[in-house]
């Protein structure tokens, strides 16, 4: 794999994000496995962290507060805002603190990516239907080609996770969807599989077909290439 | 109703957007009904239009092209980019052309809203899971209080529409969801109903419960106020 | 000259901008001369226009108003907002309307430049110390290499023009300063001269030295290369 | 004085900024004097810091490098990036790190100011013609009313300082210019003086008149109000 023009972006893999998300253990396990492969390939690793100031400056509208007026979630004074121990950033990594769901909103992420000549974004994290999805759309608007690692993403509920994955597939053109294992193969220069839609808004679904459509994008078989 | 600090934003209600979306006729009908009520209340009406330049400058990555290299969708040279005849903007309305899904991305929408002292955004349009949803999230990041008019929104498929509505309900704090009829009552100063989540990430769902959860937010009964 | 990755950006060369600016006739004359050379080299030509809506939506704070509340300057209803007749844009050119001094503030300029793979910006227009200078700084922040065409820029007063040129020279690293004639040579593949500072904040000045320092950057001799 | 809707923003008052700037001692002294008055009035105090990562990620184009490839200026690993000891921020203050001259470019400054309901920005720092001026223009574009504290600003050279002050006076409508002493009076609810231009582009100048024009704005007499 050429490591040129790529970066790995990990959205909000913070201790506090483990508020009952599905599959958090395997998300951490997969992330722990893939990070060394990116480092080996000399591809920058970037972490984001959701932060709310103790004094409430910069809070999103309607953000829940404690009785003393401090933010209920992602309080900057809590050690729960730190990245999970198993996947701690190195000093040389880039860590972007953010105050809104999207990792691009009033942060230096885009200027960092541009200075690193990044075209291809490998991205994952939580929650699929919130910070991850809004970051993916914002990356797409800025002309990055997106590569989603689906089993390193998670939500509090199966429906939101599946629907967000389908929605991104439909409206983020040129997006590729990898599993951790298949991406490991790619990073190792081996044959691998990923899903990419053939056409715009391809993954239309109803409640009845959502699971099957989701399976299509996460278990590519005939529709993928090596 | 106080008309202070409000605006109506209509996302991409362009002739070309009628590419087989569900319920487009009733979306137009509802929009046609509600616009005069906003004008009556002296609330600004803002339209957005998706545009792709004929020469391809500014195109999103992966945007489909015709054989001659011109954009397949929303070609600026086509009269299909115009707003539907039934709901044509007045000269005094604001029309924002945009090149990405979100109506805020590199457009003057935010500076317009700020100069109009807008805090409360009434928003609707198509597609629910694309331009509408990304615009709603971007508005939320900029501290607007969002009011979604659910039966003036539409998608190409039922699942995407329902899931996007639930996702916005979960992650856009303080968002209210109206039907056209209930919003008409509000604009007329009458008792009315809307849905607003009581807590963060409230509308968790699976394929089995998506329809029922969607019904909860679009048919508020006991959970709403007057 | 390679035409790859370049664009010409002309700031606010609108009829109304001729409010007594120094040297406007020669600015237009020079612009008229250089545009065909850029077209010949297949380099995109982009115009910006300052616009104020008749109803005042989006006005800058403190913008002067007429007695009837309409904007005093750059009123969208006036034909004075059009580009000078001598240098009218073609249909195929990009014209960016803007509501703030900087051509990048809430406009599509950056996404246009990125989609055209522009790295090198050739830029000029009016006023040197306002829209031109703020656009240059914003371009620099976005990692474009700037090339200023000094005799296609102008201000209402000599001091502001000279000081703004020196300020940009000091703080826009890697900026080159051309005269129209020297840039014509470059576009024609001939030997040519330009000024580029050797070090950061090089052009320090006082009232006594401002004219001489300005002469240095606009009349490169020994300090320039071919 | 009403403290509502105001903030004090101090641009790059970092140890490294003392690279031979004029009057740095008095800038620090004035800043040290005014900060307690803002705190007393319960007005937020915000500091910005220019930062260059050791590994060069996010560097501006053309930023000077050491032989080992690390940034020559504002290296994040140096304690020279800290705020001057005499005016150290409190834990409760907001400190914004930035990678470009403007304090608004890809930082959280604007969302902080908005959440604090700020309309009136009191701003000062270094260098007048670089980070200070580009931050002031960016604040103006975002509809803040600007109040410049001229003797808490400085540049490496007299001409750049004077010209930048005049340029901001000309193009940042509604801007007021205070001295530290007069602003202290205002914060104490006493009669005070400031300069504000009566009309657009009022302070036109040549090399011969620059000093006199500068004196007009920094020594308001008849032209100011109480």
């Amino acid at each position: 794999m050429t490591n040129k023009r790529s970066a790995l972006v990990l959205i909000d893999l913070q201790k506090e994000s483990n508020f009952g998300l599905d599959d958090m253990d395997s998300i951490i396990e997969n992330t722990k496995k893939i990070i060394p492969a990116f480092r080996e390939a000399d591809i920058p690793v970037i972490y984001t962290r959701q932060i709310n100031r103790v004094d409430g400056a910069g809070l999103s509208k309607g953000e829940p507060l404690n009785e003393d007026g401090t933010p209920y979630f992602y309080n900057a004074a809590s050690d729960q805002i730190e990245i999970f121990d198993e996947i701690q950033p190195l000093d040389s990594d880039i860590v972007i603190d953010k105050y809104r769901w999207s990792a691009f909103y009033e942060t230096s992420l885009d200027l960092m990516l541009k200075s690193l000549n990044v075209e291809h974004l490998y991205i994952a994290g939580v929650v699929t239907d919130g910070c991850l999805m809004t970051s993916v759309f914002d990356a797409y608007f800025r002309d990055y080609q997106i590569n989603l690692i689906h089993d390193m993403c998670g939500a509090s509920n199966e429906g939101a996770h599946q629907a967000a994955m389908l929605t991104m597939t439909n409206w983020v053109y040129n997006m590729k969807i990898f599993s951790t294992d298949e991406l490991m193969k790619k990073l190792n220069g081996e044959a691998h599989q990923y899903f990419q839609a053939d056409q715009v808004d391809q993954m239309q679904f109803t409640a009845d077909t959502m699971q099957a459509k989701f399976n299509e994008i996460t278990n590519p078989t005939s529709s993928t290439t090596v």
Side-chain angles (χ1 to χ4, degrees), chain A:
Chain A
M1 176 199 195
T2 171
N3 57 20
K4 296 294 181 285
R5 300 186 170 279
S6 296
L8 174 65
V9 176
L10 300 170
I11 302 293
D12 297 2
L13 293 176
Q14 301 161 261
K15 296 176 183 178
E16 177 161 344
S17 297
N18 201 355
F19 52 88
L21 298 192
D22 297 337
D23 303 318
M24 189 50 106
D25 288 349
S26 67
I27 290 170
I28 296 173
E29 191 180 336
N30 287 334
T31 306
K32 186 178 176 180
K33 189 164 62 180
I34 207 106
I35 286 176
F38 275 92
R39 295 200 195 287
E40 188 89 5
D42 209 24
I43 298 176
V45 179
I46 301 175
Y47 296 76
T48 71
R49 305 191 311 174
Q50 184 76 12
I51 302 281
N52 289 324
R53 282 177 60 95
V54 179
D55 61 11
L59 280 194
S60 289
K61 292 288 181 191
E63 188 71 33
L65 301 177
N66 296 312
E67 284 190 9
D68 64 0
T70 57
Y72 185 82
F73 294 113
Y74 295 99
N75 185 318
S78 160
D79 59 8
Q80 292 300 98
I81 60 161
E82 300 300 338
I83 303 294
F84 288 113
D85 290 334
E86 298 89 335
I87 53 173
Q88 277 284 312
L90 304 182
D91 282 351
S92 56
D93 291 331
I94 296 173
V95 180
I96 304 274
D97 286 349
K98 67 194 183 67
Y99 299 90
R100 294 292 183 271
W101 303 146
S102 167
F104 287 91
Y105 190 72
E106 297 202 11
T107 74
S108 60
L109 178 54
D110 194 42
L111 73 83
M112 290 294 164
L113 294 172
K114 282 168 71 177
S115 92
L116 296 166
N117 294 312
V118 172
E119 289 182 5
H120 305 283
L121 222 58
Y122 292 82
I123 189 165
V126 296
V127 297
T128 317
D129 52 324
C131 295
L132 189 276
M133 182 174 68
T134 55
S135 299
V136 164
F137 273 112
D138 264 357
Y140 172 59
F141 299 158
R142 285 157 180 79
D143 298 338
Y144 297 102
Q145 185 268 323
I146 313 296
N147 304 277
L148 206 49
I149 316 166
H150 69 81
D151 53 1
M152 283 168 47
C153 301
S156 68
N157 63 102
E158 185 184 280
H161 176 70
Q162 294 184 355
M165 295 292 297
L166 291 166
T167 296
M168 290 184 277
T169 303
N170 284 336
W171 296 117
V172 179
Y173 299 165
N174 287 357
M175 187 175 78
K176 296 177 181 174
I177 301 177
F178 291 87
S179 68
T180 305
D181 284 346
E182 293 300 315
L183 183 55
M184 285 294 292
K185 292 182 191 167
K186 178 177 167 64
L187 290 162
N188 291 329
E190 298 166 17
H192 59 276
Q193 291 188 310
Y194 58 83
F195 181 85
Q196 182 169 11
D198 300 318
Q199 57 184 79
V200 168
D201 196 18
Q202 179 176 330
M203 288 288 129
Q204 303 186 2
F205 64 100
T206 63
D208 285 344
T209 64
M210 184 164 70
Q211 177 73 56
K213 289 290 183 181
F214 177 73
N215 289 348
E216 271 188 59
I217 62 175
T218 55
N219 298 300
T221 52
S222 60
S223 64
T224 60
T225 64
V226 172

